[in-house]
Amino acid sequence: MPAPWEIRCNKKSKPKHGRAEMDSTGETSEKMQMKKEITLLNGVSLIVGNMIGSGIFVSPRGVLMYSASYGLSLVIWALGGIFSLFGALCYAELGTSIMKSGASYAYILEAFGGFVAFIRLWSSLLIIEPTTQAVIAITFANYIVQPIFPHCEPPYDAVRLIAAACVCSLTFINCVNVKWGTRVQDVFTYAKVMALFLVISVGLYKIGKGETENLRAPFEGSATNPGMIALALYSALFSYSGWDTLNYVTEEMQNPERNLPLSIAISMPIVTAIYLLTNIAYYVVLDMSALLTSDAVAVTFGGETLSYAKWIIPIVVAMSCYSGLNSSIIAASRLFYVGAREGQLPDSLSLIHVKCFTPVPALLFNGLMTLIYLLVEDVFLLINYYCFNYWLFVGLSVAGLICLRYTQPHRPRPIKLSLFFPIVYCLCSLFLVIVPLYSDTINSLIGIGIALSGVPAYYLGVYLPVEKRPKCLQWLSATTTKYVQMLFYCALSDMDMEPTTAKNK
């Protein structure tokens, strides 16, 4: 009988003659792979839940501040939705032709090779994923304790402890069962959408009563400076980020060739319509000065319109953050899992639980990184470092679609877009890369430095042949993998033992 850390697949043994046989019970072999448990409805909830985070409740003022009028801001929100739809359609083609989890990492790896893909993975590991999740968790904690401390700042330690509890609870849920994670996502997404419907209903009721003073000259005072309009569009597009969430779990979807593009097609119009109608409701009830000075627009809106029910809004914002954090944890853990499976992160992160079929080590690693970032007092400032990296790698992954059309013309493509869509998206992504370089140069350069810090790591851990890598790193990796397998009852999946088309270099 093999030692626990030698387990590779379930219900199989390897006899002396070298051919895999069924175990003595004669049961049908079951592949050691993550199960395909994500349905079409789960897919829609993941996308909608991640796109509609706390931003639409807390601070949708960025677009209004730069556009300077209600009318132009609504036009920019609509343009942001159209642009995001272009990107999502490109990911629908990529996701159905490259049937791997990992989203942009998997597509960049296939199109541009291991080095560029590793830099994308390194950026996510060091800054993008843990910072994003820490900020969402802290926002969740702030709104949970707000009813207890309505007139003062909540205690710092209490907020951080609640944020840590939020991260730990969601990590545990996703370790135990994929279905548990998707059910949490479904329930909390429904709750936040219903809350937004409440906001929209109040706005439509006000319009029906003729209270439209704020909308009578919607384009008056609109910004005409191209730079200001560009910054307004940038703010809107950042609010739409998250439409790629489902591409991180492609391998766990039921019938991904159908359900992946269909989830995108359903989710994008829903989110765009909700954003437009919610902003209209805000504009009807609140004047521009109130919108631009409020730290939490939805809370101010609730105070003006919901009377004794205004306590609902902080709770709903917290639920929205919980949903967004859950989808982010699901996506990030799959990114690290796929990166390890491709040989670009330690093998221990490519293990899955023998009975739960979940990437427990990757989930725990992601949770640990987030908890470490919760110890950083100015964690909100760290989010400024990755805007440049985020849009660069999203644009590169869509550019990979164009590249693969020429380098792999015979690859099966269940969905094949006109090249108009990826070309337009790449040009707009170039704009999104330039904007933070222009408007926030220092932070963008720091973000570039963080990404490039992965070059030595790539050389030592990926580029060098195994026999030439530092012995201490090899020993550390082997020892970690051994004890992670024993401690968490994990094994390598069947797919890990199959050759891949794009490995390391």
Side-chain angles (χ1 to χ4, degrees):
M1 180 177 177
W5 60 87
E6 293 175 347
I7 295 174
R8 288 296 181 271
C9 55
N10 198 21
K11 298 182 183 177
K12 290 184 182 179
S13 61
K14 193 171 182 178
K16 294 179 181 178
H17 300 295
R19 282 173 29 185
E21 293 182 343
M22 305 297 296
D23 62 14
S24 58
T25 62
E27 294 179 6
T28 304
S29 172
E30 183 178 4
K31 283 191 174 183
M32 176 57 71
Q33 293 178 345
M34 288 192 284
K35 301 303 180 185
K36 293 182 176 290
E37 294 185 327
I38 297 177
T39 64
L40 174 63
L41 185 60
N42 297 149
V44 173
S45 294
L46 278 170
I47 296 174
V48 173
N50 203 14
M51 289 182 72
I52 303 178
S54 61
I56 191 64
F57 293 100
V58 179
S59 56
R61 59 186 179 183
V63 178
L64 183 61
M65 180 171 63
Y66 292 118
S67 61
S69 75
Y70 291 150
L72 183 57
S73 69
L74 291 174
V75 170
I76 288 171
W77 278 107
L79 289 175
I82 294 169
F83 173 76
S84 300
L85 177 61
F86 276 32
L89 290 174
C90 294
Y91 265 48
E93 176 175 328
L94 287 165
T96 53
S97 60
I98 302 172
M99 299 295 292
K100 291 182 180 180
S101 298
S104 60
Y105 167 75
Y107 310 147
I108 291 172
L109 180 68
E110 190 74 26
F112 301 113
F115 176 70
V116 181
F118 181 83
I119 296 301
R120 187 263 182 269
L121 183 63
W122 185 260
S123 299
S124 293
L125 185 151
L126 273 191
I127 191 76
I128 296 177
E129 300 299 344
T131 301
T132 302
Q133 291 172 28
V135 167
I136 295 173
I138 291 169
T139 306
F140 164 84
N142 275 319
Y143 277 88
I144 282 290
V145 300
Q146 185 179 4
I148 305 173
F149 302 94
H151 304 297
C152 63
E153 193 76 17
Y156 175 87
D157 291 339
V159 169
R160 296 299 168 120
L161 285 172
I162 292 172
C166 174
V167 172
C168 292
S169 66
L170 285 173
T171 300
F172 172 77
I173 287 169
N174 283 285
C175 282
V176 173
N177 196 311
V178 173
K179 272 293 181 189
W180 286 18
T182 56
R183 283 171 186 158
V184 167
Q185 190 65 30
D186 292 345
V187 170
F188 282 84
T189 298
Y190 299 153
K192 80 167 86 174
V193 170
M194 289 176 65
L196 286 170
F197 280 160
L198 173 63
V199 172
I200 291 166
S201 298
V202 171
L204 294 177
Y205 173 75
K206 296 282 187 181
I207 292 173
K209 289 179 63 179
E211 298 180 20
T212 57
E213 292 83 2
N214 293 340
L215 301 178
R216 284 182 182 165
F219 291 93
E220 184 178 348
S222 295
T224 55
N225 185 322
M228 298 298 285
I229 295 173
L231 288 171
L233 183 59
Y234 184 81
S235 298
L237 289 172
F238 208 83
S239 297
Y240 279 104
S241 61
W243 45 260
D244 57 346
T245 303
L246 202 55
N247 294 73
Y248 284 94
V249 294
T250 304
E251 295 168 21
E252 298 170 71
M253 289 195 68
Q254 298 174 2
N255 192 10
E257 294 91 344
R258 170 185 176 271
N259 288 343
L260 176 62
L262 195 53
S263 297
I264 290 170
I266 293 171
S267 303
M268 295 305 297
I270 289 175
V271 174
T272 303
I274 286 175
Y275 275 2
L276 285 170
L277 292 173
T278 301
N279 277 287
I280 289 172
Y282 289 156
Y283 298 164
V284 168
V285 172
L286 304 173
D287 59 30
M288 190 169 293
S289 61
L291 283 163
L292 294 179
T293 57
S294 174
D295 290 327
V297 173
V299 174
T300 305
F301 178 92
E304 292 284 336
T305 59
L306 298 181
S307 186
Y308 294 109
K310 62 184 180 181
W311 58 269
I312 293 174
I313 298 297
I315 301 302
V316 169
V317 175
M319 294 174 72
S320 179
C321 292
Y322 201 73
S323 166
L325 181 59
N326 183 60
S327 59
S328 182
I329 287 173
I330 291 172
S333 62
R334 272 52 175 190
L335 173 62
F336 300 147
Y337 165 78
V338 173
R341 194 178 66 190
E342 295 293 341
Q344 295 198 335
L345 287 178
D347 289 339
S348 55
L349 296 181
S350 67
L351 304 173
I352 62 175
H353 195 276
V354 170
K355 294 190 179 296
C356 299
F357 299 99
T358 54
V360 171
L363 281 160
L364 294 176
F365 173 76
N366 175 74
L368 178 62
M369 288 293 291
T370 304
L371 292 176
I372 290 171
Y373 274 69
L374 284 176
L375 299 175
V376 180
E377 188 170 353
D378 293 329
V379 67
F380 284 84
L381 295 178
L382 297 178
I383 209 164
N384 297 324
Y385 297 155
Y386 76 73
C387 293
F388 175 88
N389 294 349
Y390 176 84
W391 292 112
L392 174 64
F393 290 120
V394 170
L396 269 178
S397 60
V398 174
L401 184 155
I402 302 171
C403 178
L404 290 171
R405 287 284 187 91
Y406 294 98
T407 59
Q408 300 180 22
H410 302 298
R411 173 184 281 274
R413 292 178 172 85
I415 294 177
K416 190 172 183 179
L417 298 174
S418 164
L419 284 178
F420 168 79
F421 293 98
I423 289 172
V424 169
Y425 192 87
C426 285
L427 291 174
C428 292
S429 295
L430 182 62
F431 154 76
L432 292 171
V433 168
I434 292 171
V435 166
L437 274 176
Y438 166 77
S439 62
D440 198 6
T441 305
I442 299 299
N443 285 331
S444 296
L445 291 176
I446 293 173
I448 293 171
I450 291 170
L452 293 179
S453 69
V455 174
Y458 176 79
Y459 179 77
L460 292 174
V462 181
Y463 181 80
L464 286 177
V466 175
E467 61 274 10
K468 292 184 179 180
R469 294 175 190 173
K471 299 297 182 184
C472 60
L473 290 181
Q474 295 184 51
W475 174 84
L476 181 62
S477 177
T479 304
T480 303
T481 301
K482 171 183 173 179
Y483 286 105
V484 165
Q485 285 187 287
M486 290 193 294
L487 183 61
F488 299 113
Y489 198 48
C490 293
L492 294 173
S493 65
D494 285 347
M495 188 176 292
D496 296 326
M497 294 178 288
E498 298 171 2
T500 56
T501 56
K503 194 91 167 175
N504 296 348
K505 305 177 193 176

